[in-house]
Each structure stands twice: as structure tokens, then as C-alpha cells.
Amino acid sequence: MSEQLERLDRLPLRTNLRGLSPYGAPQLDVPILLNVNENTHGVPADVQAAITAAVAEAATGLNRYPDREFTELREALAEYLGHGLVADNIWAANGSNEVLQQILQAFGGPGRTALGFPPTYSMYPLLASGTDTEYIAGVRADDYGLDAESAAAQVRELQPNVVFLCSPNNPTGTGLGLDVVEAVYEAGEASQAIVIVDEAYHEFAHDGTPSALTLLPGRERLIVSRTMSKAFALAGARIGYMAAAPEVADAIRLVRLPYHLSAITQATALAALHHREALMADVEDIKVQRDRIVSELTRLGFTPAASDSNYVFFGGVGNPHALWQGLLDRGVLIRDVGIPGHLRVTAGTEPETTAFLEALEALVDGQLSGPA
């Protein structure tokens, strides 16, 4: 055990936190960073200007607390989402992780359980631990898919208090059919389960892909979580939000910290929402690069999953670590998610995508670690 871990172990830490490691991907200084699903296009100049002006105006009132209810932002988010939503359906926080944490603070906790279906977003069990909620790992099919019958059966058997459904799923990038959401919601009736559909990457889905937002009417236990980190290129601003029945937002108000969204955060989010056309144009370009990656990986003999996100999960990798290291040696950082035979790469700009594909092909041609 390292000295740092020994010092940590001497503290009177909660039992369920002992032995855990904090969330985090490698942060290395390399030219091409394609490992954490960021929007690598950056914020367009006109949106930067709008954010700068909005923040400058907000700065004149920083001696006062911000709008605790962030009403203008909730109204703007409801307008963006559509589906008949209004401000009372919306809640926001400092990144979607904080939204999920607040949901668990309100509906999880000691003696309660949260069900996820790994491989999925690795923060779910950490958020559960942080709120003293027991995390239950469900199962997926051999191809990492999740169908309505299997998911509903697990919910009926395990009777969780909270269910996490990630769509598109991280790290596989695959979307869930709405039949899965409907089946899980119905199966959760007995335990009155809160069902969270994490749609952090929904803007990157193929055209015509329905959102779980369409299922909200009449389902007071259903929550759809979103973020501005990805499609809006605001990972550094930390803005996440959710849509749900108004009473769910009222429940979150019981656990939120006062004035949790700063005036700067609110101003940034509003400026981006009001100037979203350029941001959505970048989303379309990212989708082109994502599909290009899928096509080229297939040509090279790998087995990429169908992706509705801004990243591609691919299998058929004979030696994932060797391939990951080979790409890193060539200045390209992707993600080894710890799943045997698989790696994940973010779809970047056209030059970044080209750099990844050229480095990958060179490694395959050199037989460092090609398809299995």
C-alpha cells in the first residue's frame, strides 16, 4: 500500500468508501486527445463572444447571490427540449453528475438500492457510494445489449429504488429502444423505482432517434438527464440538467445546496442556448467523423459497435493495451475502458480523426496489435 493510501486508511472514512478510487481518465499532454468524449471542436467564435458579453454583465452583480431558482435558464432549457415542457419540468446543476447525485440524495440513501447495467457509465456506482446507496450491477447480453424483457425481469426481481438507463450507453455508444424504458418503468411499479434515462449524448444520435422525453407525460417516476458538456462544447463550464414531473424537481430542492448555480454559470448556459445554431452545426460534423471512424475500423478488420454518440467502441482488438500504447506513442490518446478486446475513441475534428486513423492503420500494417 502506498504512503498516500496508508494515510487515507487512517482516517475515519465511511466503511462503504474504503478501498474506492476516484473517477478519472488519464490526463496526458499529447497532441490528439480523444479519450474522454469531449467536443474537441471548441466553442465557435460567435458563441464565445456572446458568452463573454453575458459573463461581463453578470460580473457587475457578483456581490449579490444569483437567482436561486435560475428561472430564465429553466425556461430556456424547456424551450430547447420542446415536447411541451415548461420551466417547472426542468432542473439544472453543475454538470449532469451533480444532477444524478442530487437525485440519489433525494431518492437513494441508506437502506436503498440503485440498479445499473454494466458496462455503463462508471460514475453510477461512485455516485451511489457517495450517497450511501447500495449499487446493484445488472447484466447485459454477450454483445452488451439490453432488451426490454431482460431489463424488466431484473427490475422485478431486484426491486431497486433507482434505475440507471444510459442511452446512448457509455462506453458502448449504443442507444436503448424506448420499449426498454417503458418496460423498466412498468416493472418498477412495485418498488416505486425512480427511472433515470441518462441522455448525455442524445444530440449525436442518428436522425429520427426518439428521446425518452416523449415518455414523460403520465410517468412521475421517470427522469431524463442531459448535459451541456458534449453537444454544447461546455465541458469546462459544468452545466447539466434534467426533465421530469414538477414534483421531482420539488424533491431535488429538498437536497440542493443554496444558490448552487452561480450567476456566471447561468449566464454562460443562457448565452450558449441563445446562440446554439453554430454549436449544432459542429454536432453534425462530429457525427460525420463518427461514422467515418466506424467505416474505417470495419475496413481495418475491427468490430465497431453501432454508435449514436460522439465516440466509437470497438472490439476485435488482439492486445488492447499494446494498441493503446502504440497510439499514445504516436501522439494519439484514446480510452482503454478495461473491457477485454475493446477500446473506445472519441470522434474529433476531421484532422484529429485523420491522425487517429492513420496512426491506427500504421500499427495494424506493422502488426503491433491488429484485429484479433
Side-chain angles (χ1 to χ4, degrees):
M1 182 182 295
S2 70
E3 182 180 350
Q4 183 177 4
L5 288 177
E6 288 178 355
R7 291 199 302 269
L8 176 62
D9 197 52
R10 289 198 294 268
L11 291 175
L13 197 64
R14 280 186 2 223
T15 301
N16 69 318
L17 297 181
R18 290 192 179 277
L20 296 182
S21 299
Y23 173 86
Q27 291 183 305
L28 305 175
D29 185 15
V30 297
I32 309 295
L33 295 169
L34 301 175
N35 66 321
V36 290
N37 302 341
E38 295 163 318
N39 185 332
T40 69
H41 283 62
V43 180
D46 60 337
V47 184
Q48 288 185 39
I51 290 173
T52 300
V55 168
E57 181 178 354
T60 64
L62 288 181
N63 58 309
R64 301 291 186 180
Y65 285 115
D67 175 10
R68 185 178 58 220
E69 290 298 308
F70 47 96
T71 304
E72 187 179 358
L73 176 56
R74 287 189 294 117
E75 290 172 347
L77 286 167
E79 184 273 329
Y80 167 67
L81 291 178
H83 297 285
L85 296 169
V86 297
D88 287 345
N89 296 113
I90 306 299
W91 186 255
N94 296 283
S96 60
N97 286 329
E98 186 176 50
V99 172
L100 298 177
Q101 181 184 60
Q102 290 173 338
I103 294 169
L104 286 174
Q105 286 175 313
F107 299 106
R112 296 193 172 195
T113 60
L115 172 66
F117 297 92
T120 191
Y121 185 32
S122 57
M123 273 300 298
Y124 297 154
L126 294 177
L127 290 166
S129 294
T131 57
D132 211 5
T133 306
E134 181 186 354
Y135 183 76
I136 303 174
V139 297
R140 290 176 176 265
D142 291 342
D143 65 355
Y144 306 119
L146 184 66
D147 63 41
E149 182 179 0
S150 172
Q154 293 180 68
V155 171
R156 283 192 295 269
E157 177 187 354
L158 299 168
Q159 298 194 11
N161 301 103
V162 178
V163 181
F164 289 107
L165 296 174
C166 192
S167 182
N169 186 47
N170 184 1
T172 61
T174 49
L176 283 178
L178 293 188
D179 62 323
V180 179
V181 180
E182 292 177 295
V184 165
Y185 188 88
E186 292 172 8
E189 179 69 31
S191 60
Q192 286 292 285
I194 293 292
V195 179
I196 306 166
V197 184
D198 183 351
E199 291 189 344
Y201 300 91
H202 180 78
E203 285 92 344
F204 301 101
H206 288 86
D207 292 344
T209 301
S211 166
L213 292 170
T214 61
L215 301 179
L216 285 175
R219 293 181 174 89
E220 72 280 355
R221 294 181 288 105
L222 180 63
I223 300 173
V224 179
S225 173
R226 294 278 188 99
T227 183
M228 296 186 76
S229 293
K230 311 302 182 180
F232 283 84
L234 292 178
R238 312 308 303 131
I239 304 159
Y241 58 101
M242 72 176 198
E247 54 267 36
V248 174
D250 285 340
I252 301 303
R253 287 180 173 89
L254 299 176
V255 299
R256 62 99 181 267
L257 294 174
Y259 310 106
H260 70 290
L261 274 184
S262 76
I264 301 301
T265 300
Q266 293 181 43
T268 299
L270 280 165
L273 284 163
H274 292 155
H275 297 82
R276 59 180 178 260
E277 292 81 5
L279 293 162
M280 293 304 109
D282 282 344
V283 167
E284 292 305 310
D285 184 63
I286 291 167
K287 291 164 68 173
V288 169
Q289 300 308 315
R290 180 226 24 229
D291 294 342
R292 177 186 170 205
I293 290 172
V294 170
S295 176
E296 287 298 294
L297 286 172
T298 302
R299 180 182 66 83
L300 291 171
F302 296 100
T303 54
S307 178
D308 275 306
S309 55
N310 71 333
Y311 53 89
V312 179
F313 176 75
F314 61 102
V317 185
N319 188 330
H321 181 74
L323 187 57
W324 178 88
Q325 185 65 55
L327 289 166
L328 180 61
D329 292 342
R330 287 160 174 78
V332 179
L333 178 62
I334 67 170
R335 187 73 174 267
D336 184 346
V337 293
I339 298 175
H342 291 76
L343 292 168
R344 190 193 71 194
V345 59
T346 304
T349 62
E350 182 175 2
E352 289 171 331
T353 300
T354 297
F356 160 69
L357 292 172
E358 289 180 348
L360 180 66
E361 186 158 15
L363 291 169
V364 171
D365 289 346
Q367 298 182 342
L368 171 67
S369 180

